[in-house]
């Protein structure tokens, strides 16, 4: 393999590297020995990724004398729970893992969030290596140190910030990812472009087919550019006090769309609806340049799945009242001024009057 | 009340104040408004402390217009569990608490650990105010940012570091603490003296009766000196990478004694056994000055309860093999060179040969 690309997240002693390179996963044992030395390695993964990558990785580690053990859970968002977290923690304790262990979370966003939360709370925190295997996890979940699980009251409401020690992203593994998941993940890449880099936004649309095929060159380039963009935001504001909240672009409405769809629709589709809806509302308010919503819609609709009938404007508006970012009272929204630039607003957010939001939602939902 | 004593823990932007003062709890609403402003306050406490202090504090907050709500759990170590943590988290979510909330943990060590872990993981962390109401919680649990719960495999094996925003210690509340708990807590104060300050160690023994009565002046002085000593260690090494482990003095053996006693004996008694045992072993090894163990025993035995017959040298030695600090292999011990000074050893710890440990344990356990 070629020399991996290295992107640094954070600053000073708290910085950690994201290594990006096709074939990187083949060199996992050597990378761990060099960059994350530990007495033992616990590899957490789901039952889909276990036979494909995690189990071979454990075998490869053992061949070079590393003490590695596999802990797997049933795939799917339902496993991102306190129950799975308890079970995995107890399994590691029963197997005698201690403070001198390192936890590898290998998989998509569910695994990086769930495994990350196990690492964050195991004996008050042990080193974490993230090995994301989906577009979404590579470009989003693995950068920023967020870990957590879902609870009855909502997604990601229990968790911790826990910086990984190291992130290893091998775009070649995207070729075994179901195509639907590749589509969903690429929505988040478009969000990075829409927020910060109009050229990248256009490049993503131009290279859509190659990106969906996980062509080595373009997939590596997309992961690199998204990780760099997200890292630039997270490094400025690690604990989400201020500027980092621009990453919520499309997500305030998006989370409500997910809830209104009973979490049966893809995260990417929900965020795409959120991005276009928020842009339409921004245009109506005179905050967002006219034409932005059409440009987002043209780029994103080829990536989206059909929305179920349960997603109505009224249900989305109802859920916006209970979004966790809205608990202080009114929901607030990140809005673009144009593609590649966030409108400053008040601390990077705006209110959207309900009639404006409703009209924007009606317009977007009419298209399904 | 008089102006509170202020001890700063940590350095730079991460520092937080511990305020110590008789009557401090009476001024809680004003202190919260000034030093921990928040949209809403969740007060977590056990059912013993609720009627005494927490419920009146919630009422007082409401009287001045603060939005405060009480969440209580059954008293006792059994509540320091993932189950209680889940229930309290869900209750707060159901009550609509959000990221703009502040959590007050008011009670003994179980409450500060459990409530602290709720705060650490609620929406990835919300501000925490610790209001310790026992000697142990005031001088130990509230300094250092450790939070956590017990699991089947052992105590405190799941948790997080979460710095409090503010700690409020009112020594007057110690007067309503059961005397047995005062005794147990004072053992930890002696540990601070044994580690770092021989004068303080002697002062504690000289003032034992007044300390046990929670006399306002001496109790305030003990809390201040212990907090200052512990803060000096924690500030140097917040995440327990090195020097902080000296605080484990007496605790390596102590935790095994607790386990051997099926967690039916007080933490202080177990730590006292640990302190004296480790000192006797240190003397036998030529690391600890002769006479230290006798001096510790004379000071500590008046504070201890009787040990059950289940605590045998063999059971303690067996549990030492599974102590969480020993998972890398052999248990290691912090040893004194003399009262007030830790022996450097290798990274502040030593091995103790099993025959030496056994003889030391036999000697200490023969005294019951």
């Amino acid at each position: 393999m070629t020399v991996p690309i290295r992107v640094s997240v954070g600053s000073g002693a708290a910085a950690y590297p994201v290594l990006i390179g096709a074939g990187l996963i083949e060199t996992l044992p050597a990378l761990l020995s060099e960059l994350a030395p530990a007495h033992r390695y616990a590899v957490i993964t789901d039952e889909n990724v276990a036979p494909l990558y995690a189990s071979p990785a454990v075998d490869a580690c053992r061949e070079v004398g590393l003490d590695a053990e596999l802990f797997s859970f049933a795939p799917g968002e339902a496993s991102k729970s306190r129950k799975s977290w308890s079970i995995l923690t107890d399994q590691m304790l029963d197997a005698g893992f201690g403070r001198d262990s390192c936890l590898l979370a290998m998989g998509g966003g569910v695994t990086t969030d769930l495994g990350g939360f196990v690492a964050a709370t195991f004996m008050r925190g042990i080193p974490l290596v993230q090995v994301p295997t989906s577009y979404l996890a590579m470009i989003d979940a693995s950068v920023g140190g967020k870990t957590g699980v879902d609870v009855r009251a909502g997604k990601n409401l229990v968790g911790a910030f826990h910086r990984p020690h190291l992130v290893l992203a091998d775009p070649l593994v995207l070729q075994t990812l179901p195509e639907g998941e590749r589509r969903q993940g690429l929505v988040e890449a478009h969000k990075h472009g829409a927020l910060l880099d109009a050229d990248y936004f256009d490049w993503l649309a131009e290279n859509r087919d190659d990106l969906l095929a996980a062509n080595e060159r373009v997939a590596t380039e997309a992961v690199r550019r998204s990780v760099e963009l997200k890292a630039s935001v997270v490094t400025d504001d690690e604990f989400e006090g201020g500027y980092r909240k621009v990453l919520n672009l499309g997500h305030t409405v998006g989370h409500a769309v997910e809830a209104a769809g009973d979490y049966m629709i893809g995260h990417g589709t929900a965020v795409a609806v959120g991005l276009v809806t928020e842009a339409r509302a921004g245009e109506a308010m005179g905050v967002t340049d006219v034409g932005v919503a059409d440009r987002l819609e043209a780029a994103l609709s080829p990536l989206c799945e059909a929305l179920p009938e349960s997603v109505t404007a009224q249900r989305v508006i109802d859920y916006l009242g209970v979004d966790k970012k809205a608990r202080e009272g009114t929901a607030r929204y990140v809005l673009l001024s144009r593609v590649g630039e966030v409108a400053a607003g008040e601390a990077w957010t705006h209110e959207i009057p309900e009639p404006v939001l409703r009209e924007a939602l009606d317009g977007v939902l009419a298209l399904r």
Side-chain angles (χ1 to χ4, degrees), chain A residues 46 49 174 185 240 244 265 269 291 307 318-319:
Chain A
D46 73 26
V49 175
L174 298 170
E240 215 165 23
R244 182 172 176 159
I265 55 176
T269 298
L307 282 179
D318 289 347
Y319 275 106

Side-chain angles (χ1 to χ4, degrees), chain A residues 75-361:
Chain A
E77 184 82 22
S79 287
K80 209 175 121 181
S81 65
R82 288 182 292 215
K83 186 174 176 190
S84 301
W85 164 79
S86 295
I87 291 170
L88 291 165
T89 299
D90 287 343
Q91 286 175 338
M92 283 178 59
L93 288 168
D94 290 346
F97 279 81
R99 289 186 176 167
D100 49 359
S101 307
C102 173
L103 190 151
L104 263 79
M106 186 182 286
V110 167
T111 304
T112 56
D113 282 6
L114 172 63
F117 190 49
V118 173
T121 55
F122 192 85
M123 296 183 177
R124 300 196 193 95
I126 58 173
L128 169 66
V129 174
Q130 297 279 28
V131 187
T133 62
S134 70
Y135 265 130
L136 187 62
M138 284 189 200
I139 69 175
D140 195 52
S142 66
V143 180
K146 286 186 177 182
T147 75
V149 295
D150 305 333
V151 295
R152 193 183 57 208
K155 289 178 70 172
N156 297 315
L157 292 179
V158 167
F161 283 98
H162 188 60
R163 264 190 296 269
H165 183 77
L166 173 68
V167 179
L168 302 174
D170 181 348
L172 276 190
V173 308
L174 298 170
Q175 295 181 356
T176 57
L177 193 71
E179 203 212 332
E181 284 194 44
R182 279 180 258 172
R183 287 179 189 277
Q184 298 293 318
L186 285 171
V187 171
E188 211 75 31
H190 283 80
K191 184 194 79 177
H192 295 143
L195 273 175
L196 298 158
D197 187 340
D199 289 342
Y200 177 48
F201 185 88
D202 291 335
W203 178 89
L204 287 165
E206 286 155 20
N207 290 279
R208 184 184 308 125
D209 291 344
D210 283 340
L211 286 165
L212 285 174
N215 164 292
E216 178 179 325
R217 188 186 57 78
V218 295
T220 302
E221 178 67 5
V223 172
R224 179 185 71 79
R225 289 179 77 167
S226 268
V227 167
E228 283 177 352
L229 290 170
K230 184 163 182 191
S232 72
V233 173
V234 167
T235 298
D236 285 349
D237 177 21
E238 189 171 4
F239 297 110
E240 215 165 23
Y243 181 62
R244 182 172 176 159
K245 67 168 72 101
V246 301
L247 295 169
N248 289 333
L249 182 76
H251 282 64
T252 310
V253 169
H255 286 146
V257 169
E258 282 185 297
D262 300 313
Y263 296 101
M264 302 295 285
I265 55 176
H267 180 67
T269 298
V271 169
V273 170
L275 287 166
V276 178
T277 301
E278 290 174 14
R280 293 230 176 279
E283 289 184 22
M285 291 162 67
V287 173
T288 305
D289 285 358
V290 172
V292 167
D294 283 348
R295 195 165 153 198
L296 294 184
E297 190 170 293
L300 295 171
S301 54
L303 300 174
C304 291
E305 62 197 334
L307 282 179
E309 292 301 320
S310 63
V311 182
T312 63
Q314 187 57 52
R315 288 198 76 197
V316 173
I317 285 168
D318 289 347
Y319 275 106
L320 279 166
V322 292
D323 183 277
K324 72 173 177 289
K325 293 171 195 77
R327 286 184 174 247
E328 55 269 49
T330 324
R332 296 189 63 86
Y333 302 82
V334 178
L335 296 177
L336 297 175
S337 48
R338 59 186 62 83
V339 172
E341 188 182 301
V342 181
E346 185 188 319
W348 308 104
T349 61
H350 306 253
E351 278 189 38
I352 299 179
E354 191 178 307
V356 173
L357 184 68
R358 187 180 296 274
E359 190 174 338
L361 268 171

Side-chain angles (χ1 to χ4, degrees), chain A residues 40-63:
Chain A
R40 299 180 71 183
Y41 297 90
V43 180
I44 289 191
T45 195
D46 73 26
E47 287 156 12
N48 287 338
V49 175
L52 285 171
Y53 300 110
S55 194
V58 165
D59 290 343
C61 284
R62 289 177 175 170
E63 270 167 35

